[in-house]
Amino acid sequence: MKKTDLTDILYITYYWPPSGGPGVQRGLKFCKYFPQLGIKPTVLTVDEKQASYALLDETFTKEVPEGVELHRTATSEPFEYYKKISGKKEIPYSGFANQQTKDTLLDKVFKFVRGNLFIPDARVGWNKHAIRKADELLQTGKYKAIVTTSPPHSTQLIGLKLKKKYNLPWIADLRDPWTNIHYYDQLYHTALAKRLDEKYERQVLEQADAIIVTSEDTKRLFLNKPASIDVNKIHVIPNGYDAEDFVFHSLPPKNEYLITYTGTITENYNIDVFLKVLAHLMSVHSDVNYKLRFVGKVSEGMKSRIEKAGVLGITEFIPYVPHQQAIKYMMESTALLISIADVDNVYANVPGKLFEYLAANKPIIALGPVHSDMDRIIDECGAGRLFHYTAYDLMLDHMNQSTKAWKTNPNLDLPYINHSRFSREALTGELAGIIRQLVK
């Protein structure tokens, strides 16, 4: 396809390499596969030297597609003041997931300020800079559509303003729920702040030409809003995996039953029943070397619970590693562990790493709400099993059977998983089709 045949779009995202974590991968992979599907993205993002990234992964920079036009702008954000006042070196995640569970008075003050002075979020200071640059780009007249992706949901307000000014087709990609996100009530919103946030959310849902969400339950959440939203304009495009990232051969250990968890985990992630089952298995199958490995951020409270369960001695903690290294750890495992936070409003939560777990072809041990979107995907793909947080007997029976199978053959890799529809290339094709339809 000739370059002149490509449809130019403006892709606006806060998270872009060298940002790390799962959020950056969605936009990065879309932009990687857009050109072969007839779309030419120009990326508008924040200056990496001024950005407030909770995680960094320089390896993602190497994945930025050659020829993608990239524009970075300044930003105005409060996080440097947060670090100076709090004495903490880390940028807090959206829901303060990487902070301690029990709030100090100062933590509560920070959350109150975040919830009431920065609406919809503390990265809203980027908007004025991004809009100024977007104006400059859109006045060239070459762009046929605008895509904004969030969180931070403040990025959607950029799209809202540009839609009103230029009336170009606008696609709002919301990777997470907005006012229904599971940590929303922890931010101590006043009634006035909550009404303003709900107003912004409603305006985006009503005025975007297409809404992209990552799960069926998020779609249901948005359709239940008191807003005039056309059901046909909300499309589910989940997160996925890039087949080109899986360059490592599967090498499950022969001398130990190794279960790996990748990503952040705090006390909100209730894996107690799994830890209890694992402790029991250690006593029953004394001839099996069980090992539990966490790759990423593990809170001190979670480490205490692991110790209390009696499995600390078989547990390995590996700090955050680049994305490719995390995949290598997956491929060198017997099975993979995943969990959804045990809090309200989590049915819509489908962790991005689930799809990479699918691509790894390892049996998945999941904890979360039964009949949730994650439960449905695992079941449809035949990739393992999800257990409720309290399902001790069911999990024990499952793990017993798995252990017996491991004794016969320590390679428990699944013979076939029907996960190709979750490849980044296939998912980008869905988004490209929506863009083409709107532009036409």
Side-chain angles (χ1 to χ4, degrees):
M1 184 178 292
K2 296 178 181 179
K3 290 185 178 180
T4 53
D5 295 333
L6 300 180
T7 299
D8 283 280
I9 68 166
L10 182 59
Y11 192 93
I12 304 175
T13 176
Y14 184 92
Y15 292 105
W16 190 256
S19 172
V24 69
Q25 294 180 52
R26 186 170 173 89
L28 178 61
K29 302 300 185 179
F30 279 151
C31 290
K32 173 181 177 179
Y33 288 109
F34 270 146
Q36 56 190 263
L37 295 163
I39 307 292
K40 181 182 178 183
T42 294
V43 176
L44 175 57
T45 190
V46 66
D47 183 347
E48 71 271 29
K49 295 178 182 177
Q50 299 182 43
S52 303
Y53 294 148
L55 295 169
L56 292 174
D57 189 338
E58 295 289 349
T59 63
F60 281 139
T61 304
K62 300 175 184 177
E63 294 190 41
V64 175
E66 185 178 348
V68 168
E69 187 178 337
L70 181 65
H71 297 273
R72 296 186 182 270
T73 77
T75 187
S76 305
E77 299 173 30
F79 290 107
E80 284 305 313
Y81 298 104
Y82 166 83
K83 290 194 288 186
K84 288 178 181 177
I85 296 171
S86 68
K88 297 177 180 179
K89 296 181 179 180
E90 292 183 322
I91 297 294
Y93 295 174
S94 298
F96 291 78
N98 56 337
Q99 308 302 307
Q100 60 197 37
T101 299
K102 294 182 179 179
D103 288 343
T104 64
L105 178 60
L106 189 58
D107 291 328
K108 292 179 180 178
V109 170
F110 283 132
K111 288 186 178 183
F112 179 86
V113 170
R114 150 68 179 88
N116 294 279
L117 298 186
F118 300 95
I119 302 171
D121 53 69
R123 290 170 174 83
V124 70
W126 179 52
N127 286 24
K128 60 183 179 183
H129 303 275
I131 289 170
R132 190 181 305 124
K133 186 63 181 180
D135 277 332
E136 178 186 320
L137 294 169
L138 292 173
Q139 285 169 11
T140 65
K142 73 175 185 177
Y143 297 100
K144 305 303 181 185
I146 299 167
V147 178
T148 50
T149 184
S150 65
H153 291 314
S154 53
T155 304
Q156 302 300 349
L157 303 187
I158 300 172
L160 183 64
K161 187 159 186 175
L162 297 176
K163 174 64 181 178
K164 291 177 180 177
K165 186 171 182 178
Y166 297 96
N167 198 31
L168 286 170
W170 168 38
I171 300 96
D173 176 37
L174 293 103
R175 304 189 303 273
D176 289 335
W178 192 320
T179 58
N180 294 101
I181 194 74
H182 62 82
Y183 56 76
Y184 193 76
D185 291 338
Q186 299 175 22
L187 299 177
Y188 308 113
H189 293 92
T190 62
L192 178 62
K194 199 167 186 177
R195 283 197 299 272
L196 180 58
D197 207 7
E198 290 171 345
K199 175 187 173 184
Y200 287 151
E201 178 185 39
R202 185 172 62 253
Q203 288 177 329
V204 169
L205 294 175
E206 289 178 341
Q207 296 184 39
D209 296 283
I211 303 290
I212 311 298
V213 296
T214 58
S215 71
E216 292 289 345
D217 204 66
T218 303
K219 179 177 180 177
R220 290 190 288 270
L221 285 173
F222 286 148
L223 288 175
N224 286 330
K225 297 290 177 182
S228 54
I229 308 168
D230 180 0
V231 62
N232 295 314
K233 78 174 185 180
I234 302 186
H235 308 268
V236 178
I237 300 181
N239 288 305
Y241 69 91
D242 190 345
E244 293 185 0
D245 288 341
F246 285 78
V247 297
F248 305 104
H249 295 295
S250 177
L251 293 172
K254 297 180 179 180
N255 61 342
E256 58 187 11
Y257 191 118
L258 173 56
I259 304 168
T260 297
Y261 179 103
T262 65
T264 297
I265 187 165
T266 68
E267 294 90 317
N268 284 338
Y269 293 76
N270 183 359
I271 62 169
D272 288 354
V273 69
F274 167 76
L275 298 175
K276 185 178 178 182
V277 164
L278 187 56
H280 181 80
L281 292 172
M282 289 167 58
S283 64
V284 173
H285 300 282
S286 57
D287 55 331
V288 176
N289 294 319
Y290 291 101
K291 183 176 179 180
L292 178 59
R293 178 169 63 193
F294 291 90
V295 181
K297 174 77 174 181
V298 182
S299 72
E300 291 303 316
M302 178 55 70
K303 289 180 180 178
S304 296
R305 284 160 69 170
I306 292 169
E307 182 177 16
K308 185 177 179 180
V311 297
L312 185 62
I314 63 163
T315 303
E316 179 184 18
F317 299 102
I318 298 173
Y320 179 82
V321 298
H323 181 234
Q324 280 293 299
Q325 185 63 38
I327 290 177
K328 188 171 186 291
Y329 281 125
M330 292 180 203
M331 301 304 292
E332 295 173 349
S333 303
T334 306
L336 301 172
L337 175 67
I338 192 169
S339 178
I340 297 177
D342 187 10
V343 294
D344 294 334
N345 298 323
V346 293
Y347 276 79
N349 188 346
V350 181
K353 66 187 169 192
L354 170 63
F355 303 100
E356 295 194 328
Y357 277 21
L358 294 176
N361 231 49
K362 305 285 181 178
I364 297 171
I365 306 162
L367 291 103
V370 177
H371 305 309
S372 61
D373 287 329
M374 185 167 81
D375 186 10
R376 176 182 55 79
I377 291 170
I378 292 173
D379 184 59
E380 288 179 358
C381 292
R385 188 167 175 184
L386 180 141
F387 301 90
H388 188 267
Y389 307 106
T390 59
Y392 174 81
D393 290 335
L394 288 174
M395 181 178 283
L396 179 60
D397 180 66
H398 175 80
M399 293 298 295
N400 256 322
Q401 295 302 319
S402 179
T403 298
K404 291 175 182 178
W406 181 88
K407 289 180 180 181
T408 302
N409 180 2
N411 187 343
L412 299 183
D413 287 6
L414 301 172
Y416 174 73
I417 299 180
N418 181 24
H419 53 54
S420 59
R421 66 188 184 278
F422 298 119
S423 73
R424 296 287 189 182
E425 186 173 5
L427 297 170
T428 305
E430 294 182 30
L431 180 54
I434 294 168
I435 293 171
R436 283 194 296 269
Q437 185 176 17
L438 289 175
V439 169
K440 183 173 63 176

